[in-house]
Amino acid sequence: MAEKALILDDKAMSRAVSRISYEIIERNKGADDLCIIGILRRGPEIAQRIAGKIQQVEGKTVPVGYLDITPYRDDGRGGGKGNSYIPFALDGKRLVLVDDVIYTGRSVRAAIDAIMAAGRPQCIQLAVLVDRGHRELPIRPDFVGKNLPTARDENVCVMIAERDGVDKVVITDCAEKSPGASVQ
């Protein structure tokens, strides 16, 4: 993978997650009736970090799950039953949906469809580590770690220590990607 630019290193990612966590607490006036669901592949790890920070600040455990949007995709790569894990009821909860990068908005649309098939939350809020623009659908995140205007031919690659051994976000200018890294 040819890195064009380092956008976030481990410390910057940690600060972004902390900022998102504090904003979630502020907007929701605490952690009551709050739950967090990360969109596979890098969303669950970011969701766990946000929940950990909220617990540290509020002293309350926030339930965390993860969502496989594969069956709800609109690009022909859908199908199957998916591999989601939501160990709590969604009805009446304030749900924070977490993704690593928002680009066209199509993954978030699929995630909302999957959530609505599983229950009826009071509200759905969206938290993303990186917003790179180029929306194709009218979807906007509520909480953003880093706004990052990009060219369409650039890729944003998110690496998470739990999966990749390092925390960082880089821009690449080619279709190559490191094994397993999330590239959007």
Side-chain angles (χ1 to χ4, degrees):
M1 170 178 59
E3 289 184 14
K4 186 174 175 181
L6 174 65
I7 303 305
L8 298 173
D9 61 11
D10 59 338
K11 288 186 171 92
M13 278 181 67
S14 179
R15 286 190 301 270
V17 167
S18 291
R19 185 172 51 257
I20 289 169
S21 303
Y22 280 108
E23 288 175 5
I24 289 169
I25 293 167
E26 176 118 359
R27 175 158 312 160
N28 291 284
K29 296 177 176 56
D32 292 334
D33 291 323
L34 193 65
C35 60
I36 302 175
I37 296 178
I39 300 172
L40 288 175
R41 289 199 2 172
R42 299 296 183 278
E45 290 84 4
I46 298 167
Q48 285 287 354
R49 293 178 187 191
I50 290 169
K53 188 64 172 179
I54 291 172
Q55 181 176 7
Q56 181 183 358
V57 172
E58 289 291 299
K60 292 183 180 177
T61 300
V62 177
V64 180
Y66 59 83
L67 186 63
D68 182 353
I69 61 169
T70 304
Y72 297 90
R73 294 178 63 100
D74 64 359
D75 60 2
R77 295 188 290 176
K81 68 174 195 127
N83 185 26
S84 297
Y85 174 72
I86 304 173
F88 45 86
L90 297 174
D91 295 336
K93 298 288 186 182
R94 287 177 288 126
L95 170 64
V96 178
L97 194 58
V98 178
D99 204 0
D100 56 351
V101 178
I102 187 167
Y103 181 35
T104 63
R106 292 185 180 278
S107 293
V108 174
R109 189 232 20 108
I112 292 170
D113 287 350
I115 292 296
M116 297 311 282
R120 180 126 178 18
Q122 176 186 340
C123 66
I124 300 173
Q125 300 166 10
L126 177 61
V128 298
L129 184 62
V130 177
D131 181 351
R132 66 169 290 190
H134 304 288
R135 225 62 94 241
E136 294 175 3
L137 299 173
I139 293 174
R140 186 182 75 201
D142 299 285
F143 313 104
V144 178
K146 176 78 172 167
N147 283 298
L148 180 64
T150 60
R152 286 194 181 270
D153 63 344
E154 294 176 316
N155 292 312
V156 175
C157 179
V158 175
M159 288 175 259
I160 299 287
E162 295 90 336
R163 288 181 177 261
D164 309 304
V166 64
D167 281 339
K168 69 178 178 176
V169 177
V170 297
I171 291 182
T172 63
D173 57 3
C174 63
E176 289 179 46
K177 63 181 187 177
S178 67
S182 175
V183 177
Q184 296 186 18

